[in-house]
Amino acid sequence: METKLDSYHRPVTGRNILRFALPTIVMTVFNTFYTMVDGLFVSNLIGTAALSAINLTAPAIGLITAVSGMLATGGSAVVMKQMGEGREREARQNFTLLILTNAAVGAVMMALGYGLMDPLLGAMGLSEEVFGYCHAYLSDYLVFTIPILLMYNFSLYLIAADRSRLSLVCTVAGGVTNILLDYGLIALAGLGIRGAAIATGLGYSITAVVGFLVFCRKGSLLHFQKPVFRGGVLFHASGNGLSELATSLVSGITTLLFNLAMLRYIGEDGVAAITIIMYVLMFVSALFIGYSYGVAPMISYYHGEGSREKLKKLVRFSVQFIFGVSALCAAVSILASPALVSVFTRPGTPVYGLAVTGNRLCSIALLFLGLNVFASGMFTALSNGVISAVLAFSRSFVFTAASIQLMPILLGGVTGVWLATPVAELLGAAMAAALLAKYQKQYGY
C-alpha cells in the first residue's frame, strides 16, 4: 500500500519527475488559458478598449496578491523542508498559521484596493471610456480578494501534499466555470466587463472551497492543526518568498511602464497590442512556472532529507528539459504569430498589425525565460530566498525597467519597446547561470 510520502521516495528519473510535475504543469497552463479566455471574450464581445482596461488594472491586482504569493511559496518550502526532516506536527501547525495569515493579509489588501483605486486610476490620464472599464472591473474583482488568495495558497499546498491531481481537477473546474460564466454574464446577462470580473472570482473560488475541505481532513498529509504562533516561521517564510513578492510587485510596475511607453509612442491601440502579446508570453511562461512549482516540493524535501544525489539528478534533468521546451516554444510562437494574434483581434486592424510585429520580436525572450523561472523557484525551494529574490528582482525590474527606458531610445521608438523583454530575459539568464554555478557545491546539485 502506498504511503503518503511514497512519491518523494521513488527513483529520480525523468519519467518520475514528469509524473510528479505534469499535473501542476497542466494546471498552471489551464489556469493561464482561462485567464486568456477572459481577454478573448472581453476583446470580442466588448472591444479592445475594455481589453486595455484589464491590462491597465493588472498592476493593482499584482500588488494585492504580492504578499500572499510571498507567504504561499516561501511557506510551502519551509513546511515541506520540515516534513523532510521528520517534524510533521510542527510543519502542520506552521501550515495552519500561514493560511490564517494569508486570510488576514487578504482582508487588508482588499480594503487598501478600494481606498486607493480612484486616485491611482485618475492619475493615469485615461479616456473616460477606459477609466470606466477599469473602475468597473476592479470594483467587482476586489470582492473576491480573500478567496483568490486562498486559491493561490491551496493550489501550492495541494501539490506539496501530493494531491496535485486534485489541484488540477479544481483548476479545470474553475476554468470551465469561468469560461461559461464569461459568456453568460457578458453576452447573455449584459454585465459587460463586470461579468468578466465576477466570472474570474467565482472560478478561482472553487479551489479555495475544495482546498479548505481537504485540509480539514486529518487523513491528508497536510491538514489544519491548532496553530502555534511562531514569528520566526513567518519571518523565514517571508524571507524565503521574497522572490515571489519581488516578482509580483515588479510585474505590476513593469506592466505599468510598458503601458505608459505604449501610450506615449502609439496610444491606446498600443496598450491593446501589448496586452495580446502578454497573453501569449504568459501562456508559455505557465509551462515553466508549472514545472517549477511541480518540482519545488521535491527539491525542498530532498534538501531537508540531505539527499544530494537525488537533488543532482533532479536539477540536471530539469535544466535539460527547460532548454528543449524553450527552443520549441520560441520557434512556434514566432512562426504562429499571425494565428495567435487573430484570436484576439481581426486581421487588418491597427491593433493586429502592431501585435503581430511585436509578438515576433518579444518571442525571442522565450529562449531565456524558462531558465530564469526555474532558477528563482529552485533557490526558493532550497530556502535561499535572498538569492531567489535577487534573481527575480534583477530580471523582472532592474533589467526590464532599464530596457524599457533605453531600448526605444537606441532603436527609435516602438521596436525598442518590443525588444525590451528579450534583452531583460537574456541578462537575467546570464545572472541565473552564474549563480547556479556559484552555489552548485554548497547544495550539491
Side-chain angles (χ1 to χ4, degrees):
M1 180 177 178
E2 185 175 273
T3 67
K4 295 174 184 176
L5 292 172
D6 272 358
S7 293
Y8 293 95
H9 294 156
R10 294 191 184 104
V12 183
T13 63
R15 179 178 180 181
N16 285 337
I17 293 170
L18 291 177
R19 176 182 176 184
F20 192 95
L22 186 60
T24 313
I25 296 173
V26 176
M27 177 188 72
T28 310
V29 169
F30 191 83
N31 191 29
T32 302
F33 171 73
Y34 78 74
T35 300
M36 292 173 63
V37 169
D38 268 352
L40 189 151
F41 275 110
V42 167
S43 179
N44 286 282
L45 296 178
I46 306 175
T48 53
L51 181 64
S52 299
I54 290 181
N55 192 24
L56 290 165
T57 58
I61 293 171
L63 290 170
I64 291 167
T65 59
V67 176
S68 179
M70 171 186 70
L71 291 172
T73 53
S76 176
V78 170
V79 168
M80 290 314 297
K81 183 173 183 289
Q82 290 173 338
M83 293 292 287
E85 294 168 345
R87 299 152 58 192
E88 296 186 11
R89 179 180 176 82
E90 184 180 348
R92 291 174 183 133
Q93 291 172 341
N94 293 334
F95 159 68
T96 308
L97 173 65
L98 288 162
I99 292 298
L100 291 174
T101 302
N102 269 275
V105 166
V108 172
M109 292 297 172
M110 179 170 60
L112 288 173
Y114 280 116
L116 297 174
M117 176 170 50
D118 284 348
L120 290 174
L121 291 176
M124 296 178 71
L126 305 173
S127 67
E128 184 177 348
E129 179 187 24
V130 174
F131 179 92
Y133 284 136
C134 290
H135 192 280
Y137 184 81
L138 199 54
S139 294
D140 285 346
Y141 189 96
L142 287 172
V143 173
F144 298 94
T145 300
I146 294 177
I148 288 172
L149 298 191
L150 289 178
M151 181 277 296
Y152 283 122
N153 280 266
F154 288 152
S155 292
L156 289 181
Y157 282 113
L158 283 170
I159 296 164
D162 200 18
R163 302 295 297 272
S164 55
R165 291 182 182 177
L166 177 60
S167 189
L168 170 60
V169 169
C170 290
T171 300
V172 172
V176 172
T177 300
N178 187 14
I179 291 168
L180 294 176
L181 288 177
D182 265 333
Y183 182 75
L185 296 178
I186 296 174
L188 301 182
L191 293 181
I193 200 168
R194 292 185 57 212
I198 295 169
T200 298
L202 291 175
Y204 281 154
S205 297
I206 290 177
T207 301
V209 172
V210 172
F212 178 79
L213 295 175
V214 168
F215 292 125
C216 281
R217 296 176 55 198
K218 300 293 184 183
S220 176
L221 175 62
L222 289 175
H223 56 258
F224 295 130
Q225 197 162 324
K226 185 177 180 180
V228 175
F229 182 81
R230 297 183 177 98
V233 170
L234 293 178
F235 180 79
H236 191 187
S238 300
N240 198 35
L242 277 175
S243 64
E244 280 65 34
L245 174 67
T247 299
S248 296
L249 289 174
V250 303
S251 176
I253 296 170
T254 53
T255 298
L256 178 61
L257 291 175
F258 272 118
N259 290 338
L260 292 175
M262 281 301 172
L263 288 171
R264 181 167 66 250
Y265 287 109
I266 299 175
E268 291 179 355
D269 280 346
V271 176
I274 204 164
T275 303
I276 294 170
I277 293 167
M278 285 182 175
Y279 278 136
V280 175
L281 294 177
M282 181 174 62
F283 184 78
V284 179
S285 298
L287 290 170
F288 304 121
I289 293 170
Y291 180 82
S292 298
Y293 281 172
V295 300
M298 299 175 73
I299 293 172
S300 299
Y301 191 89
Y302 296 152
H303 178 50
E305 191 180 46
S307 302
R308 289 196 163 202
E309 189 59 33
K310 290 182 179 179
L311 190 59
K312 184 183 296 184
K313 290 180 180 179
L314 174 57
V315 173
R316 183 185 300 122
F317 172 81
S318 297
V319 172
Q320 293 171 350
F321 175 78
I322 285 168
F323 279 150
V325 174
S326 296
L328 177 63
C329 289
V332 171
S333 184
I334 291 171
L335 295 174
S337 287
L340 293 171
V341 172
S342 67
V343 173
F344 295 92
T345 188
R346 293 187 305 276
T349 63
V351 172
Y352 176 86
L354 286 168
V356 169
T357 300
N359 190 70
R360 284 174 173 155
L361 294 174
C362 283
S363 293
I364 299 170
L366 299 178
L367 293 170
F368 318 110
L369 187 148
L371 179 64
N372 292 331
V373 170
F374 175 74
S376 180
M378 188 187 81
F379 281 113
T380 296
L382 291 170
S383 294
N384 194 335
V386 173
I387 295 301
S388 182
V390 168
L391 279 171
F393 186 76
S394 298
R395 163 211 166 207
S396 301
F397 181 68
V398 176
F399 298 149
T400 302
S403 297
I404 293 172
Q405 300 303 315
L406 294 176
M407 294 300 291
I409 297 173
L410 295 174
L411 298 178
V414 71
T415 300
V417 180
W418 298 136
L419 287 173
T421 299
V423 169
E425 294 294 347
L426 173 60
L427 294 173
M431 176 179 280
L435 289 172
L436 285 170
K438 179 179 178 179
Y439 286 92
Q440 185 174 12
K441 288 186 178 179
Q442 178 176 331
Y443 292 109
Y445 54 75

